[in-house]
Amino acid sequence: MFPKKPTDSSTTHQHSFDESRWVNNVRKSLDAELEEHPLEQVAVSIFTVPKALMCTHRDSYTPQRVSVGPYHCLKPELHETERYKLTIARKFRNNSKSFRFHDLVEKLQSLEVKIRACYHKYIALNEETLLWIMAIDSSFLIEFLKVYYGFGKVETLINRVGHNEILRDDPKTENNPYLGFIYTSFQERATFISHGNTARHAKDLGDLKLAQICGTIAADEKRHETAYTKIVEKLFEIDADGTILGLADMMKKKISMPAHLMYDGQDDNLFEHFSTVAQRLGVYTAKDYADILEFLVERWNVETLSGLSSEGHKAQDFVCGLPARIRKIEERAQGRAKEAAKNVPFSWIFGREIRA
Ligand SMILES: [Fe+2]
């Protein structure tokens, strides 16, 4: 399909210049203009950040975790998340039965000159590299938006493999201390519960040392929970309206656990499989998620807050009704999960298969 060309990945981010590639691209652009698609009809739509802005906050205008498109794609510091991008692109392919990346790349060939024309900056990539970036990134974006905005599945409450990493690994607290302390209150209680449950399992199965270790961690997490919930209690005291709005906001975005980034170099859906097993064994479940919220609502006396604005009242109603709604979703999801159960090998127990 493509003539064999050397793929010089290191040149892109450093903008070192490949003359033959440049001549090749310019020649193609000129030839394309003679055909039916005059390039002046293709407006530049993907601009570089003006230097003046770049000088003020370089990091704000440079991808820190994941890149989309050819400008930053091959930067070594983003390689870590390229894996997640590929995982998500692969999911897109698996969900679309007849879809093949090679076919898409082939179709994009006729658009190559137009694609380049959309970019403000000269793209120092060869044809094959550029088209593969387009194919992977577009599949990734479609699947990402589908999952991120496809609410209603209980999996999205706890199992978003890599998606938060894409969102700068941000638990969606937006540098807002209200959201930050609400998130940590929830998350510390979740880890307290899951380690406590693991300790119980270990004890039941006769591994007393492991039970002791998990118990110690659980006790530690409990102390963290106490600290953070006290801070939020104080926030409710001094700014009930702002805090209830923050709590509702955080719960709408859903709380995801930091472990979603784990990877063993083998299983692209490792966290998904791991959390399915954790759910089945009762280590950390969607019921726990609802229980934690119910606990915090009671801990912070959310139901009896008074003097709220109309927005605050709405947020209060939303938060107080949410545990019951999560439980309903959970019941439906449990039924579906049973039907979809399959055996999955886990590398850390030497490939032994576990029902997930
Ligand atoms: Fe902790």
Side-chain angles (χ1 to χ4, degrees), residues 187-188 191 220-221 224:
Q187 193 261 333
E188 297 294 356
T191 45
D220 216 24
E221 303 295 12
H224 303 162

